[in-house]
Amino acid sequence: MSQRLVVIGSQWGDEGKGKITDYFACKADMVVRYQGGNNAGHSVMFNGHKYSLQSIPSGIFNPATVNVMGNGMVVNPVSVVAELQKLHDQGITDYQLYISDRAAMVMPWHSDLDGAYECLKGGKLIGTTKKGIGPAYSDKYSRVGLRMGDLLEPDYFAERLKAAVEVKNRELEMLGLPAYDFDKVFAQYMELAKILGPKITDTSALINRYLREADKKILFEGAQGMMLCIDHGTYPYVTSSTPSSASVPVGAGISPKWIDNVLGVAKAYCTRVGEGPFPTELHDETAHEIRERGHEYGTVTGRPRRIGWFDGVVARYTSRLAGIDNWALMLFDVLSGLDKVKICTHYELDGEIIDTPPATISKFARCNPVYIELDGWKEDLTQIKDYNDLPEAAKAYIRKIEEITEVPVGVISVGPDRTQTIIVSEKLRNF
């Protein structure tokens, strides 16, 4: 029977999923992205080189790994080709990549509409990356979108494209934006089809075949983080899909029975890019120090990330929603050198102590963190290979997170390279 591991972000994205997925991808036979699009930013570092991924699964660096872009994604063919070219330029030329024929396609007008919608919000911006992800998902659910498999049938694609261009040009006109010419878009996408066509297939059938084969190791990789979930996040300051492990069956085209090992990726502190409530946010020198030491700038946008202490309320909430079995505690080394470290255990909302995030951002914005304070540690952690060699204060911090969240820490990252990873969980060690 195959082994399965789901890697999800448990905070507001940018938790370090790229590194963790890359770490386990070295052992995996298949890596599957099941939602999101090229608004994701995954950074992977090994052998002294840093690689940035957006749409491509993190297993792309292992020639033996089958990489799948699942049907739950929205795929921008232009972006995928550019991303593959960048990898080629960096020497990554030997890989296996397949794209679901049922994945929704990001079209050129989607980014135009994304930016226009954001401008219409005035001072209440969502903080979108303006990659067209939201409009692409919107077209998917309003059933006017195109899918990757359409590229394999030029006549059918032309028929679908004509209908889409007619509808979207009217929308663009109302917003004062330039219209698109059918012939130019059709020609462009037929060229893209020549490159990507051999990679487009029924990935659900491929994944299910691997699931049923003995000794296959399959990694499911999410984008963004649970607090950006369209259903359970800080709505409306969220993404357009559900990063939870609960999305894997639909987004990959498999049965829920296969999901039995979920690794929640969390920074040892918290960060957020864009707008929305962030109860543990810091605005002091500590925030600046953590941002610079952790290089906390968006992979896709380059925007400085907002910094806060570890939020145990959020961690408990996301672990409940996603069924997290272990934490991967990332950028742990960044906290070295601080005299004191804090963990939020509860919120105070209008005089009441609560232990779960409220549904509305108006209430969330009024939440004040209730902290416990622990001693910091001064030691450099970046060369430590064994949990037992961590400073006592660092181990106390980890134990407190486990106590507050009721989830064990299974992985500790003490640096950006894949070798700077401490595996605590025996189950994860055997993946």
Side-chain angles (χ1 to χ4, degrees):
M1 183 66 70
S2 62
Q3 291 189 56
R4 288 82 58 195
L5 176 63
V6 180
V7 176
I8 67 164
S10 66
Q11 296 163 329
W12 282 275
D14 304 310
E15 299 96 345
K17 297 181 295 297
K19 173 187 170 173
I20 289 301
T21 309
D22 170 68
Y23 180 90
F24 287 105
C26 294
K27 308 176 182 181
D29 298 289
M30 175 180 281
V31 177
V32 182
R33 266 283 302 273
Y34 58 88
Q35 50 78 228
N38 64 317
N39 57 336
H42 291 178
S43 296
V44 176
M45 181 175 286
F46 59 91
N47 296 333
H49 297 283
K50 182 177 180 180
Y51 304 88
S52 297
L53 301 173
Q54 294 181 23
S55 298
I56 306 296
S58 297
I60 200 73
F61 304 103
N62 185 354
T65 301
V66 174
N67 292 272
V68 175
M69 299 172 67
N71 59 273
M73 292 186 67
V74 288
V75 178
N76 185 330
V78 176
S79 173
V80 172
V81 170
E83 196 170 345
L84 289 174
Q85 183 59 55
K86 183 178 179 181
L87 288 171
H88 283 207
D89 294 343
Q90 293 176 299
I92 309 301
T93 58
D94 187 7
Y95 55 81
Q96 302 178 64
L97 176 65
Y98 297 95
I99 304 171
S100 173
D101 52 12
R102 291 167 170 82
M105 204 166 2
V106 180
M107 300 302 292
W109 48 78
H110 286 138
S111 58
D112 296 342
L113 293 170
D114 206 356
Y117 295 155
E118 187 79 339
C119 289
L120 289 174
K121 297 181 179 76
K124 296 185 177 181
L125 303 180
I126 299 298
T128 172
T129 58
K130 300 180 182 178
K131 298 285 186 177
I133 306 304
Y137 272 116
S138 179
D139 279 2
K140 172 181 177 175
Y141 289 110
S142 60
R143 298 177 295 282
V144 297
L146 295 100
R147 305 203 295 182
M148 291 299 294
D150 299 347
L151 294 175
L152 303 181
E153 300 182 63
D155 291 343
Y156 178 70
F157 176 66
E159 177 186 335
R160 295 283 297 154
L161 180 62
K162 282 179 182 177
V165 167
E166 183 177 344
V167 171
K168 291 297 148 182
N169 277 347
R170 291 179 185 175
E171 192 173 347
L172 291 164
E173 183 181 355
M174 287 189 293
L175 292 167
L177 297 172
Y180 279 87
D181 179 77
F182 163 80
D183 291 325
K184 290 182 179 179
V185 176
F186 180 78
Q188 178 190 14
Y189 277 69
M190 285 297 95
E191 288 300 312
L192 294 168
K194 293 178 183 178
I195 302 171
L196 298 179
K199 307 179 192 306
I200 300 171
T201 189
D202 182 350
T203 55
S204 171
L206 177 63
I207 298 167
N208 276 277
R209 187 166 73 246
Y210 269 61
L211 285 170
R212 286 172 169 80
E213 290 185 19
D215 301 325
K216 293 294 187 185
K217 295 180 179 180
I218 305 171
L219 198 62
F220 295 94
E221 175 186 16
Q224 290 86 40
M226 282 292 297
M227 292 307 291
L228 298 177
C229 171
I230 187 70
D231 288 303
H232 301 288
T234 49
Y235 188 89
Y237 298 105
V238 293
T239 192
S240 302
S241 59
T242 301
S244 173
S245 56
S247 290
V248 173
V250 174
I254 65 173
S255 167
K257 70 180 181 181
W258 296 109
I259 307 306
D260 59 3
N261 189 10
V262 181
L263 181 61
V265 185
K267 281 178 179 168
Y269 46 96
C270 277
T271 63
R272 180 165 193 172
V273 172
E275 304 300 320
F278 187 11
T280 67
E281 184 171 11
L282 299 171
H283 300 280
D284 56 11
E285 185 59 33
T286 298
H288 175 73
E289 183 177 350
I290 291 174
R291 182 180 296 110
E292 295 307 311
R293 292 188 61 187
H295 308 291
E296 294 293 357
Y297 297 88
T299 303
V300 175
T301 63
R303 289 180 292 186
R305 295 175 184 141
R306 299 156 66 189
I307 307 294
W309 292 118
F310 186 89
D311 193 326
V313 179
V314 162
R316 279 196 304 268
Y317 176 65
T318 56
S319 66
R320 167 167 60 86
L321 291 171
I324 293 172
D325 297 293
N326 285 274
W327 295 118
L329 202 59
M330 309 302 292
L331 288 100
F332 195 54
D333 54 298
V334 172
L335 295 182
S336 291
L338 299 177
D339 293 327
K340 297 290 182 180
V341 288
K342 295 182 180 182
I343 300 174
C344 171
T345 61
H346 297 81
Y347 296 152
E348 181 274 322
L349 173 61
D350 301 336
E352 178 185 358
I353 299 298
I354 61 174
D355 61 4
T356 191
T360 65
I361 58 168
S362 61
K363 286 186 177 180
F364 212 149
R366 299 201 304 274
C367 287
N368 295 308
V370 177
Y371 288 120
I372 57 169
E373 187 176 79
L374 294 87
D375 289 333
W377 55 92
K378 302 294 184 181
E379 295 88 340
D380 178 9
L381 309 184
T382 57
Q383 302 306 311
I384 293 178
K385 305 295 183 184
D386 189 282
Y387 174 85
N388 294 318
D389 294 332
L390 290 170
E392 285 305 315
K395 286 189 282 190
Y397 184 81
I398 293 169
R399 287 194 298 268
K400 186 58 66 173
I401 287 176
E402 294 177 323
E403 176 188 323
I404 291 168
T405 63
E406 299 181 346
V407 173
V409 171
V411 180
I412 304 164
S413 176
V414 293
D417 198 272
R418 63 165 66 136
T419 62
Q420 296 174 294
T421 309
I422 302 170
I423 305 297
V424 182
S425 163
E426 190 67 25
K427 186 176 182 180
L428 293 172
R429 189 178 293 117
N430 292 331
F431 180 83

